[in-house]
């Protein structure tokens, strides 16, 4: 019995010693301020845009290192699948085209609009087969048209059809993500395709497609977003994100040749095509009245065709506190 007690005492002393050492090590970590960096999940929406520049040039390094933050990147072909990840807390910061933005707000997804990405005047077109018989929007009636549902291309298509007295009920709408739609268009399984750059200009320059003229001017402004819970907990990270985004946008404007090389490498597109795209419209993250108005028009249009439950005031969805704080003088 005595031997057993001695053995038990020795075991207990060993356990206590391990616990004390573990506690000391833990205290040492706290005392030295050592902790794992904050993981920030930033999503790329396509292969072109200031975030691609920021990633390639390492522009986040300085701003985020000061805040002990580290980026985990993800990439999506379009906004709708990005929204799914955002809803499950796998995306903290990104940007969206107007279609996904409106759908996300309509579904009360947990994000807020913290900036815009320009007017989107040159970003979307409706393509028809170069050797087909579709010459104008009215010719789309009864034809097979591809588009990624819920995207900026979808909104553009609805607006364009409406401007010419048609609706999506007048066409055979096929829901395809861009890469799948590209293959379908090339094999002539689609008569037409509503799509954004770099896809539309690349197809035109290759001689595969013609862009259909639309009455009036259709703007497709994008928006920079932050997940609600993340932004509330880490406003300083959101502000840093906006500063880096603008820095990347400004760098692209000032260095179009080098920016084109970066995008060409990502997209496998010719340099000349890329440069035409990125110089057609300058990126701008600040809210403008015409971009806000265009966004409201998109909201009203989608509500009118029943794509969203009801219209809402876009200005009420804007939180400009982060951008004001990030660039205060």
């Amino acid at each position: 019995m005595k031997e057993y007690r001695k053995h038990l005492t020795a075991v207990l002393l060993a356990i206590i010693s391990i616990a004390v050492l573990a506690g000391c090590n833990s205290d040492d970590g706290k005392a030295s301020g050592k902790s794992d960096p904050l993981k920030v999940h930033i999503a790329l929406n396509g292969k072109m845009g200031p975030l691609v520049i920021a990633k390639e040039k390492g522009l986040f390094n300085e701003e985020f290192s000061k805040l002990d933050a580290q980026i985990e990147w993800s990439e999506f072909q379009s906004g709708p699948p990005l929204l799914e990840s955002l809803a499950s807390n796998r995306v903290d910061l990104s940007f969206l085209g107007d279609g996904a933005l409106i759908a996300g707000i309509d579904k009360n997804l947990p994000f807020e609009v913290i900036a815009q990405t320009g007017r989107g005047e040159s970003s979307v077109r409706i393509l028809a087969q170069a050797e087909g018989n579709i010459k104008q929007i009215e010719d789309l009636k009864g034809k097979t048209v591809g588009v990624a549902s819920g995207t900026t291309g979808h909104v553009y298509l609805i607006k364009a059809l409406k401007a010419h007295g048609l609706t999506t009920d007048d066409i055979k709408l096929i829901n395809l993500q861009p890469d799948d739609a590209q293959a379908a268009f090339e094999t002539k399984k689609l008569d037409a395709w509503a799509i954004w750059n770099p896809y539309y200009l690349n197809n035109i320059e290759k001689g595969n497609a013609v862009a259909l003229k639309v009455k009036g001017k259709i703007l497709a402004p994008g928006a920079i977003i932050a997940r609600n819970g993340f932004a509330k907990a880490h406003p300083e990270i959101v502000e840093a994100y906006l500063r880096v985004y603008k820095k990347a946008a400004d760098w692209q404007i000032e260095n179009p040749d080098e920016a084109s090389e970066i995008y060409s490498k990502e997209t496998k597109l010719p340099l000349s095509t890329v440069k035409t795209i990125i110089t057609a419209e300058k990126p701008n993250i600040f809210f403008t009245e015409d971009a806000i108005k265009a966004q409201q028009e998109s909201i009203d249009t989608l509500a009118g065709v029943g794509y969203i439950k009801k219209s809402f005031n876009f200005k009420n969805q804007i939180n400009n506190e982060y951008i004001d704080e990030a660039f205060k003088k």
Side-chain angles (χ1 to χ4, degrees), residues 229-275:
F230 180 86
K232 185 177 180 180
H234 307 286
E236 72 287 353
I237 299 290
V238 178
E239 293 158 18
Y241 170 76
L242 288 171
R243 285 192 293 268
V244 174
Y245 196 106
K246 184 178 186 303
K247 185 176 181 180
D250 291 345
W251 184 91
Q252 174 180 306
I253 294 169
E254 295 165 6
N255 302 275
D257 292 328
E258 192 176 344
S260 296
E261 289 178 5
I262 292 173
Y263 293 140
S264 179
K265 180 181 176 183
E266 290 290 324
T267 61
K268 313 301 182 191
L269 295 177
L271 278 170
S272 58
T273 301
V274 173
K275 189 172 181 180

Side-chain angles (χ1 to χ4, degrees), residues 25 46 72 106 131 141-142 163-164 168 176 214 229 233 240 255 308 311:
N25 289 338
E72 289 194 352
D106 180 61
E131 298 178 358
K141 191 168 184 176
H164 292 259
T168 52
L176 292 170
V214 177
N255 302 275
I308 59 174
S311 184

Side-chain angles (χ1 to χ4, degrees), residues 196-217:
W196 52 87
N197 266 327
Y199 294 93
Y200 94 68
L201 184 58
N202 183 45
N203 279 276
I204 289 173
E205 292 193 344
K206 288 194 301 184
N208 295 340
V210 293
L212 301 180
K213 292 184 179 180
V214 177
K215 292 178 183 177
K217 186 181 292 185

Side-chain angles (χ1 to χ4, degrees), residues 150-177:
T151 64
T152 188
H154 194 181
V155 177
Y156 185 95
L157 176 62
I158 292 170
K159 285 183 173 181
L161 291 172
K162 181 180 179 182
H164 292 259
L166 299 175
T167 72
T168 52
D169 291 335
D170 294 309
I171 63 175
K172 298 174 184 175
L173 195 63
I174 307 295
N175 178 18
L176 292 170
Q177 286 297 309

